[in-house]
Amino acid sequence: MYSQVEHPAGGYKKLFETVEELSSPVTAHVTGRIPTWLKGSLLRCGPGLFEVGAEPFYHLFDGQALLHKFDFKEGHVTYHRRFFSYFKGVEVTDNALVNVYPIGEDYYACTETNFITRINPETLETIKQVDLCKYVSVNGATAHPHVENDGTVYNIGNCFGKNFSLAYNIIRIPPLQADKEDPINKSEVVVQFPCSDRFKPSYVHSFGLTANYIVFVETPVKINLLKFLSSWSLWGANYMDCFESNETMGVWVHVAEKKKGRLLNIKYRTSAFNLFHHINTYEDNGFLIVDLCTWKGFEFVYNYLYLANLRANWDEVKRQAEKAPQPEARRYVLPLNIDKADMGKNLVTLPYTTATATLRSDETIWLEPEVIFSGPRHAFEFPQINYKKYGGKPYTYSYGLGLNHFVPDRLCKLNVKTKETWVWQEPDSYPSEPIFVSHPDALEEDDGVVLSIVISPGVGPKPAYLLILNAKDMSEVARAEVEMNIPVTFHGLFKRA
């Protein structure tokens, strides 16, 4: 996993190149054999237009959103992509380029604002835009909602709480009911988390959820509301100016009871990191196990994601990454039952982890993590798991995108218990977030395949392909090649047919 692969040819720059949409799906060329049980669509979002006329976009999250789809049917594969239509009078704030998720029977694309965009998963057409503010009190919502097996959706967004101070609301959207009314109409706030700074909410990208608890990790990357309100909107042209770091707070972790919507009065604290993606969270004997992809320190990682940095020559890319916060996958363990008599002691009694939680005299609980993956400037990121069966429960495997100095150059499977890794990697090939698809008759957690879009510019005649790996050992099962480049995608899902 630490093999220092180099990219002097700079093929990764193709991830950030404008492409055209398709008027209709194209047939992909399959090598290997697509499993017969794999029926459905891989839907993914990312930027596809990186300039308007002569005016370039500057940041990774500025590019105009492109929705991609690979369809699997009887061993054949097609590829389609469409830009999101511009809505009249609407700015880049509604650029739904981060993820796609289901609400009821509908599919929505989103970024991190209050606007989500309903799409047709067959044609990729934009149906309508929904403003979550009209239904529930949030200023925005993350691109990483939790979707339970009955269809209930949970998400988090900042809001104005009591006496104008900032807070964070967890919202719940129920599953589709017999009356077939749009579930968004029935959205409600479950619980409100306090904010460490009444005027500056932390940037929040995801959160943790188990059967009984909600976990919110409040990091030192803050949104300066005064700048935010005066810059017209967060994801406008100068949204990066709205972020600042609190250099002294470290990280605060908050827990609430999911069913009662009750805040636990326990103050968990640890040293500073950036957090974008929770891997998984589960309960075990009075503890919460919280697995995270962290970046050490309080400096905002997005400061390193300007297109000029990402498109630089390899030596410059490496030089920039040396200065950036360093990635580490970590396990934190949160004790739920606190006895004041245990002052100064490590409260974690689980036999299988080295993570600690120490009760301090000011009644805070100081957390130290167990490191589950670490490599110099090598990130295990965009983590995915067998979410349907193991989300919020004890689990063993996560699949991640390996970032080498921010360049995505491998796919990795991680055993979070033993820390064993399996890697897929090919020279000058740049994959995307791996999506796990379980075998319909799966008996084990990793019975299934992993899907990833890979670009391989300059390697052969076909510049991009959809890669299918055996989830057991990350060996190749098949690939479906297309005759065109596919720019970077962030997140997505597999919709079974």
Side-chain angles (χ1 to χ4, degrees), residues 306-429:
Y306 283 93
L307 291 164
N309 291 14
L310 298 169
R311 289 172 173 148
N313 291 328
W314 177 236
D315 285 341
E316 178 58 22
V317 163
K318 285 199 292 191
R319 208 176 63 79
Q320 286 289 336
E322 299 282 332
K323 300 190 301 197
Q326 294 307 307
E328 196 163 76
R330 295 174 169 179
R331 166 165 291 182
Y332 285 92
V333 177
L334 281 47
L336 295 168
N337 311 309
I338 313 301
D339 184 342
K340 298 259 165 63
D342 290 329
M343 192 71 66
K345 289 190 193 142
N346 170 27
L347 308 178
V348 180
T349 53
L350 296 174
Y352 56 81
T353 181
T354 55
T356 62
T358 308
L359 181 59
R360 299 194 296 186
S361 54
D362 60 0
E363 294 192 3
T364 58
I365 293 181
W366 184 261
L367 306 173
E368 287 293 343
E370 172 182 1
V371 175
I372 51 180
F373 178 82
S374 188
R377 284 158 295 283
H378 277 56
F380 177 91
E381 255 292 353
F382 295 88
Q384 289 285 325
I385 59 167
N386 181 341
Y387 182 82
K388 222 171 161 47
K389 286 197 187 141
Y390 294 85
K393 301 186 176 85
Y395 75 116
T396 305
Y397 302 110
S398 179
Y399 308 87
L401 179 63
L403 304 181
N404 172 1
H405 297 78
F406 294 113
V407 171
D409 69 356
R410 62 203 188 283
L411 297 167
C412 176
K413 175 184 182 179
L414 172 64
N415 180 323
V416 296
K417 295 175 176 169
T418 66
K419 307 181 181 63
E420 184 180 5
T421 57
W422 296 257
V423 175
W424 177 91
Q425 185 167 40
E426 284 188 3
D428 299 305
S429 300

Side-chain angles (χ1 to χ4, degrees), residues 235-251:
W235 301 107
N238 48 357
Y239 65 88
M240 282 298 294
D241 298 343
C242 302
F243 295 108
E244 55 186 58
S245 294
N246 179 317
E247 303 188 1
T248 56
M249 71 172 275
V251 165

Side-chain angles (χ1 to χ4, degrees), residues 262-328:
R262 193 173 67 93
L263 227 49
L264 293 194
N265 185 23
I266 308 178
K267 297 182 171 70
Y268 303 100
R269 302 286 183 266
T270 190
S271 45
F273 58 76
N274 283 223
L275 170 66
F276 306 99
H277 302 121
H278 279 250
I279 304 173
N280 199 11
T281 315
Y282 66 89
E283 305 166 21
D284 185 359
N285 282 301
F287 296 93
L288 284 173
I289 287 75
V290 182
D291 291 350
L292 308 173
C293 294
T294 68
W295 297 80
K296 301 175 200 174
F298 50 73
E299 192 197 355
F300 196 22
V301 171
Y302 285 7
N303 292 341
Y304 293 87
L305 302 183
Y306 283 93
L307 291 164
N309 291 14
L310 298 169
R311 289 172 173 148
N313 291 328
W314 177 236
D315 285 341
E316 178 58 22
V317 163
K318 285 199 292 191
R319 208 176 63 79
Q320 286 289 336
E322 299 282 332
K323 300 190 301 197
Q326 294 307 307
E328 196 163 76

Side-chain angles (χ1 to χ4, degrees), residues 17 21 42 49 75 279 337 350 441 471-472:
E17 238 171 60
E21 63 180 1
L42 176 71
L49 179 73
I279 304 173
N337 311 309
L350 296 174
D441 308 316
K472 287 269 181 208

Side-chain angles (χ1 to χ4, degrees), residues 12-151:
Y12 52 83
K13 297 175 191 181
K14 285 289 220 198
L15 289 165
F16 315 109
E17 238 171 60
T18 292
V19 295
E20 293 188 344
E21 63 180 1
L22 293 170
S23 50
S24 59
V26 296
T27 303
H29 173 257
V30 174
T31 55
R33 289 191 53 191
I34 309 278
T36 47
W37 57 265
L38 190 64
K39 301 182 183 81
S41 315
L42 176 71
L43 295 166
R44 294 190 60 75
C45 285
L49 179 73
F50 293 91
E51 59 281 306
V52 175
E55 191 54 38
F57 291 125
Y58 292 103
H59 200 270
L60 178 59
F61 301 126
D62 291 341
Q64 176 60 24
L66 186 59
L67 183 60
H68 306 257
K69 176 172 71 127
F70 278 92
D71 263 332
F72 302 85
K73 205 172 179 177
E74 282 137 29
H76 297 284
V77 182
T78 59
Y79 170 63
H80 194 27
R81 66 184 178 211
R82 295 282 299 267
F83 280 105
F84 287 98
S85 35
Y86 280 99
F87 294 91
K88 285 184 177 52
V90 160
E91 302 270 336
V92 275
T93 49
D94 319 315
N95 194 11
L97 61 84
V98 183
N99 206 354
V100 191
Y101 62 93
I103 298 178
E105 289 176 346
D106 302 325
Y107 284 80
Y108 287 86
C110 66
T111 175
E112 302 182 313
T113 64
N114 48 306
F115 290 106
I116 58 175
T117 305
R118 189 174 155 202
I119 55 144
N120 177 328
E122 301 308 316
T123 64
L124 306 188
E125 284 166 326
T126 303
I127 299 171
K128 67 168 182 178
Q129 197 167 43
V130 173
D131 180 354
L132 291 171
C133 290
K134 292 190 173 141
Y135 302 94
V136 69
S137 168
V138 280
N139 297 330
T142 76
H144 293 283
H146 279 281
V147 182
E148 297 189 318
N149 288 338
D150 69 354

